[in-house]
């Protein structure tokens, strides 16, 4: 059993999620924790797209936007239960990803980056401008999931923060489990193979276009579910969720933590979610310090935090 | 029985006719070698046959079926695969995983089953893993199975590429300079390995610069020069063919001339 084995990684994650609350000085930290898990979820999706399959997206916040607004609009406009609206959002994101992925995944490198960027901007513009439906940039309220009341009914009383910490933590564990399953499966190996050499992957029978599309659709569903969870816990959503900055943030988290590593990406999400909270003490220097940290990590640990540290430890062990 | 038939294949890059009107055929268990000076169009010919390039003219027939312009992964499903002159290894994957990817067509199942790690996928994975290890043992790479492929030596990667191609049990295998950059011992080993593969009924197309090796193991040789087929036949026929000799000597002469000029320049320089 190496550190990389699936169950060890899942156990580490589970242990962290279970133990960390012991150190929380106040209930507020459950909220921060839940936010970390939501961010980590969409970043794990990007690990599949970028780390496994070697394709870039600068528009994944678009899918988060679809997931988030599905939970806002589904109950209001269609009378759906929020949980069902979340599934609908994931389905719509998957279909959108399949439709736009087909033509744009033929592009490579920065051409693909620009095309996905365009998609993200498009979603964000629609959410901002379709005021009659989305109430525009002021955002809209999101219905209550209702599960917490149900739990209270059966005798499990949780604060809102605790509840969302638990739900997002569980969803993240499922997301990580799926991503790790994929890594060592036939499809996952096909993704990693085409990342290494597209032409060689094709000559052993891999349908490169199809496998890229699968990676794109899967990662879109991750982002969509993350967006849904975000809107459901905040009970409010604005078009910023689909904005360019959010897309960039996702990619930055993935790259910072280690884009080839599911746990690394989770770490990246944790750091970039926490850092601004910690740095509020430094007020005006916050952005500066954030930028500096990122530059330093990329210079000294170019493969991302976790893989670089793991490699260093392994090197010392031998 | 003819397994692969190539008819009048041609392609141009800009004004350059890289390959022009080349045809030949190969049967099961036969080793057909394509030889010619650097830049003759051998790799380009392979790229067209294997679907990597779309030919401008001509046809490729596999088992009597027209497969011209088929994508490489479709050709792979029909039993044709290849290796590359410039190594195409999945660098960040382990040596074993590289071979397992070669089993893609045998292993692949439903995407959902892969995402949820359903029991069927595990069983298939274990089977494929065992077969991949057996292939690695055949080329003495079993000890390196868990290493990241990028760390292997050039000669080892050449062998890895061949067994990765073998993993899909091809009926037609295209090998583009499998022994390039290998030492004499490794070359002999690859040589014997290729003969073994042909003996199992695989039709082999081989590009190789090592003439001794080509003459020894080929059943049939096709000679290219400037994109044109200038001769073909059995090894002894081809080696006696005056056009072939001049094509090869021609390049040797040209290189020699260049060398002489260089020497002269250096000499004048030294004097000046
Ligand atoms: N994609 C391409 N675009 C433009 N020109 C190309 C391309 N591929 C090959 N060529 C040209 O076609 C000609 C044949 O090249 P090819 O690589 O097929 O030769 P070769 O016989 O394999 O040579 P070598 O023995 O050096 O491997 C060369 O002049 C080469 O520059
Ligand atoms: Mg060549």
């Amino acid at each position: 059993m190496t550190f990389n084995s699936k169950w060890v990684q899942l156990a580490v994650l589970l242990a962290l999620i279970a133990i960390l609350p012991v150190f929380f000085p106040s209930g507020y930290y459950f909220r921060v924790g839940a936010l970390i898990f939501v961010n980590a979820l969409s970043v794990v999706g990007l690990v599949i797209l970028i780390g496994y399959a070697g394709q870039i997206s600068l528009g994944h916040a678009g899918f988060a936007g679809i997931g988030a607004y599905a939970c806002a609009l589904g109950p209001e406009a269609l009378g759906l239960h929020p949980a069902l609206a979340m599934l609908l959002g994931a389905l719509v994101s998957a279909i959108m990803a399949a439709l736009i992925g087909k033509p744009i995944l033929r592009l490579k490198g920065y051409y693909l980056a620009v095309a996905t960027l365009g998609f993200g901007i498009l979603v964000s513009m629609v959410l901002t401008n379709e005021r009659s439906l989305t109430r525009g940039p002021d955002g809209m309220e999101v219905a209550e999931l209702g599960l917490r009341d149900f739990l209270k009914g059966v005798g499990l009383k949780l604060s809102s923060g605790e509840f969302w910490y638990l739900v997002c933590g569980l969803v993240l564990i499922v997301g990580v489990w799926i991503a790790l399953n994929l890594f060592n499966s036939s499809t996952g190996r096909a993704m990693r193979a085409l990342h290494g050499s597209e032409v060689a992957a094709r000559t052993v029978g891999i349908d490169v276009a199809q496998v890229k599309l699968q990676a794109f659709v899967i990662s879109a569903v991750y982002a969509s579910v993350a967006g849904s969870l975000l809107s459901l816990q905040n009970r409010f959503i604005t078009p910023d969720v689909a904005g360019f900055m959010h897309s960039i943030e996702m990619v930055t988290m993935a790259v910072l933590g280690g884009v080839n590593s599911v746990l690394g990406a989770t770490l990246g999400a944790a750091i970039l979610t926490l850092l601004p909270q910690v740095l509020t003490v430094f007020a005006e220097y916050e952005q500066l310090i954030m930028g500096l940290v990122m530059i330093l990590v990329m210079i000294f640990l170019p493969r991302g935090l976790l893989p670089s540290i793991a490699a260093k430890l392994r090197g010392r062990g031998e | 029985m003819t397994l692969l038939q190539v008819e009048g294949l041609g392609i141009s890059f800009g004004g350059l006719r890289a390959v022009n009107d080349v045809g030949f055929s190969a049967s099961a268990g036969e080793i057909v070698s394509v030889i010619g000076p650097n830049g003759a169009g051998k790799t380009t010919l392979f790229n067209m046959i294997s679907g990597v390039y779309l030919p401008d003219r001509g046809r490729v027939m596999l088992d009597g079926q027209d497969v011209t312009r088929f994508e490489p992964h479709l050709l792979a499903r029909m039993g044709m695969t290849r290796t590359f002159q410039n190594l195409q290894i999945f660098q960040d994957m382990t040596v074993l995983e590289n071979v397992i990817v070669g089993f893609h067509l045998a292993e692949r199942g439903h995407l959902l089953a892969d995402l949820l790690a359903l029991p069927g996928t595990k069983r298939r994975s274990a089977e494929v893993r065992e077969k991949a290890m057996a292939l690695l043992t055949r080329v003495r790479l079993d000890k390196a199975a868990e290493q990241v492929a990028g760390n292997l030596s050039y000669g080892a990667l050449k062998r890895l590429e061949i067994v990765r191609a073998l993993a899909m049990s091809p009926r037609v295998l295209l090998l583009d300079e499998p022994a390039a950059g290998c030492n004499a011992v490794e070359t002999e080993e690859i040589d014997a390995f290729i003969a073994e593969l042909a003996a199992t009924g695989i039709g082999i197309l081989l590009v190789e610069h090592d003439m001794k090796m080509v003459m020894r193991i080929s059943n049939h040789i096709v000679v290219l020069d400037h994109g044109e087929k200038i001769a073909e036949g059995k090894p002894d026929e081809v080696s006696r063919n005056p056009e072939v000799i001049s094509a090869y000597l021609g390049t040797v002469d040209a290189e020699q001339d260049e060398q002489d000029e260089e020497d002269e320049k250096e000499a004048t320089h030294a004097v000046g």
Side-chain angles (χ1 to χ4, degrees):
Chain A
M1 282 270 157
T2 61
F3 175 74
N4 282 327
S5 92
K6 177 169 90 182
W7 297 113
V8 174
Q9 293 191 55
L10 280 171
V12 168
L13 187 65
L14 187 66
L16 281 175
I17 293 175
I19 293 168
L20 280 179
V22 175
F23 303 101
F24 288 172
S26 74
Y28 169 71
Y29 284 81
F30 284 101
R31 287 225 161 269
V32 178
L35 191 59
I36 289 177
F37 299 155
V38 165
N39 284 335
L41 188 66
S42 48
V43 174
V44 169
L46 279 187
V47 166
I48 293 171
L49 182 68
I50 304 176
Y52 293 9
Q55 309 301 307
I56 185 71
S57 170
L58 294 183
H60 256 51
F63 298 114
I66 293 173
Y69 275 85
C71 285
L73 290 169
E76 193 186 278
L78 304 173
L80 287 176
H81 187 276
L84 220 57
M86 179 160 144
L87 288 182
L88 181 67
L91 187 68
V92 172
S93 287
I95 292 170
M96 289 287 276
L99 287 178
I100 65 156
K102 223 176 181 105
I104 69 174
L105 286 167
R106 281 193 221 130
L107 306 172
K108 290 195 195 335
Y110 23 82
Y111 301 103
L112 179 60
V114 171
T116 49
L117 183 79
F119 165 74
I121 290 173
L122 209 71
V123 173
S124 143
M125 269 172 54
V126 168
L127 293 178
T128 310
N129 296 333
E130 286 300 315
R131 283 165 190 274
S132 57
L133 208 58
T134 66
R135 298 206 193 115
D138 297 337
M140 65 188 291
E141 280 188 29
V142 178
E144 164 70 42
L145 178 59
L147 185 58
R148 196 156 68 93
D149 287 340
F150 170 78
L151 289 177
K152 203 188 279 172
V154 298
L156 190 63
K157 273 184 115 167
L158 295 171
S159 74
S160 169
E162 288 165 349
F163 172 76
W164 285 108
Y165 182 89
L166 198 70
V167 169
C168 297
L170 285 176
V171 175
L172 175 62
I173 286 177
V174 173
V176 167
W177 175 70
I178 288 174
L180 293 176
N181 286 341
L182 184 65
F183 187 84
N184 268 325
S185 72
S186 169
T187 308
R189 274 190 294 269
M191 288 172 184
R192 291 154 60 210
L194 79 88
H195 188 177
S197 165
E198 225 172 286
V199 70
R202 295 167 81 198
T203 55
V204 294
I206 293 171
D207 184 345
V208 164
Q210 185 193 14
V211 174
K212 280 183 189 175
L213 197 62
Q214 286 172 340
F216 196 67
V217 169
I218 293 168
S219 64
V221 170
Y222 272 80
S224 180
V225 171
S228 293
L229 289 175
L230 189 72
S231 75
L232 284 173
Q233 64 178 298
N234 289 342
R235 302 283 316 275
F236 191 78
I237 199 71
T238 69
D240 284 348
V241 68
F244 174 58
M245 279 315 290
H246 189 202
S247 286
I248 295 296
E249 203 176 71
M250 284 186 201
V251 175
T252 312
M253 285 172 176
V255 173
L256 185 81
V259 77
N260 291 315
S261 149
V262 170
L263 271 201
T266 310
L267 179 70
I271 291 175
L272 284 192
T273 311
L274 275 177
L275 217 50
Q277 317 265 346
V278 178
L279 291 176
T280 44
V281 201
F282 300 102
E284 64 256 53
Y285 297 115
E286 182 193 320
Q287 303 282 331
L288 193 73
I289 298 175
M290 286 270 284
L292 205 63
V293 168
M294 285 184 225
I295 292 171
L296 289 177
V297 169
M298 285 301 105
I299 291 174
F300 294 106
L301 305 168
R303 294 169 59 201
L305 281 172
L306 202 65
S308 302
I309 293 169
K312 288 235 162 71
L313 290 179
R314 229 175 286 135
R316 214 163 285 162
E318 277 166 10
Chain B
M1 192 206 78
T2 303
L3 193 55
L4 178 76
Q5 187 156 357
V6 175
E7 296 167 6
L9 219 50
I11 192 170
S12 306
F13 300 113
L16 175 78
R17 291 197 160 201
V19 172
N20 192 24
D21 195 21
V22 172
F24 62 89
S25 65
S27 305
E30 201 180 21
I31 300 178
V32 175
S33 288
V34 179
I35 64 169
N38 290 113
K42 307 179 293 291
T43 298
T44 305
L45 179 65
F46 268 29
N47 281 339
M48 287 190 287
I49 296 173
S50 62
V52 175
Y53 288 172
L54 297 179
D56 297 336
R57 301 167 292 278
R59 294 204 296 176
V60 179
M61 312 281 287
L62 185 60
D63 255 345
Q65 189 187 343
D66 189 340
V67 297
T68 323
R69 296 168 169 270
F70 274 36
E71 287 203 55
H73 71 269
L74 294 177
L75 292 172
R77 278 166 208 189
M78 299 176 70
M80 187 202 291
T81 192
R82 64 174 291 183
T83 65
F84 298 85
Q85 180 176 356
N86 57 336
L87 287 167
Q88 294 290 333
I89 292 289
F90 310 130
Q91 301 270 354
D92 292 336
M93 301 175 81
T94 67
V95 170
L96 180 62
E97 281 177 327
N98 265 268
V99 183
I100 291 177
V101 171
F103 283 101
H104 178 77
L105 292 174
E107 194 198 4
R108 81 201 156 113
H110 199 276
L111 173 63
L112 274 181
D114 280 355
L115 292 173
L116 303 176
L118 297 184
T121 65
K122 272 184 214 158
R123 183 176 40 75
R124 275 205 301 275
S125 261
E127 282 170 13
V128 159
R129 205 183 159 83
E130 211 164 289
K131 286 188 201 156
M133 273 313 286
L135 278 175
L136 283 175
T137 310
R138 277 179 78 178
V139 290
R140 294 184 293 101
L141 286 173
D142 46 323
K143 296 248 163 34
E146 298 299 337
Q147 277 188 44
V148 174
N151 294 342
L152 258 54
S153 72
Y154 188 82
L157 290 177
K158 278 281 182 194
R159 282 179 281 152
L160 176 60
E161 233 196 3
I162 298 175
V163 286
R164 182 182 68 197
L166 281 181
M168 52 163 292
S169 312
R171 292 184 303 147
V172 180
L173 177 59
L174 283 61
L175 300 168
D176 197 348
E177 306 204 13
C182 294
N183 62 35
V185 180
E186 285 171 329
T187 303
E188 203 152 309
E189 202 176 35
I190 289 176
D191 190 347
F193 192 45
I194 293 172
E196 230 174 89
L197 297 178
T200 66
I202 303 177
I204 292 177
L205 283 193
L206 175 70
V207 168
E208 188 49 68
H209 276 297
D210 185 335
M211 277 311 132
K212 274 207 307 228
M213 172 175 173
V214 168
M215 292 300 162
R216 196 164 51 226
I217 69 173
S218 309
N219 300 101
H220 191 86
I221 296 179
V222 175
V223 189
L224 294 188
D225 190 21
H226 296 297
E228 312 258 354
K229 181 172 82 178
I230 57 168
E232 76 174 308
K234 293 202 167 58
D236 53 336
E237 293 166 10
V238 164
S239 62
R240 272 178 291 146
N241 183 313
E243 241 189 291
V244 175
I245 295 168
S246 85
Y248 270 88
L249 288 181
T251 57
V252 171
D253 277 353
E255 271 166 29
Q256 195 59 47
D257 287 350
E258 262 169 39
Q259 191 57 46
D260 288 349
E261 266 172 39
E262 290 281 305
D263 288 350
E264 255 168 50
K265 262 187 222 153
E266 255 171 51
T268 33
H269 201 74
V271 172

